[in-house]
Amino acid sequence: MEEGEGVKSSNQPDIRLSSPFSWRGESFPPILDSESPDHLSRIRDLGIPYIFDIHTHFFPETVMKLIWRWFDNVNWAIGYRLPEKERVERLHHNGIKRFTTLNYAHKVGMASSLNDWTYANYKNWEGAIPFGTFYPEEGVLSYVKQAVDEYKFQGFKLHCEVSKLNLNHPELAETFLYLLEKQIPILIHTGTAPLPGEFTGIQFFKPFLETYPTLKIIVAHMGAHEISAYASLLSAYPNLALDTTMVFVDFLATGKIEEVDAAVSYLETYQDQIYFGSDFPNIPYNLNHPITKILDLPISDLAKQKILYKNAENLFFK
Ligand SMILES: [Zn+2]
């Protein structure tokens, strides 16, 4: 499939039918060719001026295409396989006026060049909050310091599964202490969904959190498939938070029905420690879908305001 081409056209069978990941219900939520952001009036009614998406991805085009190839192999239909400029327009079209620039290294020697690339480009993406990444390797503290001091990055992203990264690796200790002292947030994919890795899961995360209890951490995907284990840490660690990325949606790659249904109550109880995330552009449905799903949940309007907008606003601009 060529760049810019829609994922499905009406005369082709939906490739989502043959994904190894399952779906809730019988029918699929709409995908790009029928995008209609009818959530815009609903958020306005809730007093939400715009949505803050804490989990959106930006990679150099060559890396992004390699990542899309992986998704293609599991029929994970990429809803927004578009040139970068159009992707940013799609975010704005859906009322997402602020968003992060997450990326991560797959190997040694890659993280600092990703940071350089983000720095060189993020000003073209209106509303972008620049995030860096790092990796257990020589020089890690120095390029992280550069990303903070010179590039003014406002957070970092780590991916324990793809990067085969152990959060407890001694080579990362100085960097974590530095980010703790600076109180710069780190968004971490530490959970076992959609696929477990060598260093994913609560057994790696808990000792890490105990070592740096006041580090500002956002756990991606609410820690699925161990949401309750991660959520149980929230009251004891006020600087810990979770993002809703791909959890409350009909695609069940990062949520199981029972796990997701049980997690709804956490959104109310821990409403100050939850951020909305989408995983854009690598989602097999419209951006409208995850937003509407949050709006439809049986939680208070105040919790929805905090999750869709206010918490992230406070994190970066207070
Ligand atoms: Zn992601």
Side-chain angles (χ1 to χ4, degrees), residues 55-57 102 104 157 159 187 189 220-221 245 279-280 282:
H55 196 133
T56 57
H57 288 290
L102 308 184
Y104 40 83
K157 161 77 190 254
H159 201 306
L187 198 153
H189 183 132
H221 313 293
T245 306
D279 235 343
F280 178 89
N282 303 332

Side-chain angles (χ1 to χ4, degrees), residues 91-294:
L91 289 168
H92 284 260
H93 181 68
N94 279 278
I96 298 171
K97 297 281 167 69
R98 289 198 199 278
F99 49 87
T100 55
T101 67
L102 308 184
N103 53 41
Y104 40 83
H106 298 66
K107 54 181 188 232
V108 169
M110 185 176 172
S112 74
S113 58
L114 282 171
N115 293 346
D116 296 343
W117 176 83
T118 301
Y119 180 60
N121 291 283
Y122 84 92
K123 286 179 184 135
N124 301 324
W125 313 325
E126 193 193 339
I129 306 296
F131 263 55
T133 191
F134 55 91
Y135 196 84
E137 60 192 340
E138 213 184 307
V140 53
L141 179 60
S142 98
Y143 69 73
V144 166
K145 279 184 172 170
Q146 181 191 32
V148 172
D149 295 339
E150 188 185 329
Y151 296 173
K152 310 289 180 207
F153 283 1
Q154 289 177 264
F156 289 83
K157 161 77 190 254
L158 298 175
H159 201 306
C160 296
E161 193 263 313
V162 173
S163 302
K164 300 184 179 60
L165 185 148
N166 185 346
L167 294 169
N168 305 292
H169 196 302
E171 203 157 12
L172 293 175
E174 281 182 329
T175 304
F176 285 128
L177 287 171
Y178 170 75
L179 294 172
L180 187 157
E181 183 202 311
K182 292 269 179 183
Q183 286 289 285
I184 292 180
I186 313 176
L187 198 153
I188 308 176
H189 183 132
T190 148
T192 53
L195 298 170
E198 206 178 329
F199 302 114
T200 57
I202 196 76
Q203 75 273 27
F204 290 97
F205 183 73
K206 217 169 160 218
F208 165 69
L209 183 64
E210 284 161 359
T211 310
Y212 311 101
T214 56
L215 194 58
K216 284 195 173 174
I217 302 168
I218 301 153
V219 170
H221 313 293
M222 294 184 82
H225 291 303
E226 297 172 295
I227 294 178
S228 63
Y230 283 89
S232 72
L233 300 167
L234 290 169
S235 55
Y237 296 91
N239 281 356
L240 175 68
L242 312 177
D243 85 25
T244 64
T245 306
M246 297 196 86
V247 175
F248 303 99
V249 293
D250 290 349
F251 183 53
L252 299 170
T254 52
K256 295 176 177 151
I257 287 181
E258 312 75 49
E259 185 183 30
V260 171
D261 291 349
V264 174
S265 67
Y266 300 136
L267 301 184
E268 192 68 46
T269 311
Y270 302 109
Q271 56 185 266
D272 296 317
Q273 287 163 279
I274 313 276
Y275 300 95
F276 169 74
S278 71
D279 235 343
F280 178 89
N282 303 332
I283 46 177
Y285 39 71
N286 282 348
L287 270 170
N288 175 257
H289 179 63
I291 298 166
T292 304
K293 281 293 202 175
I294 298 278

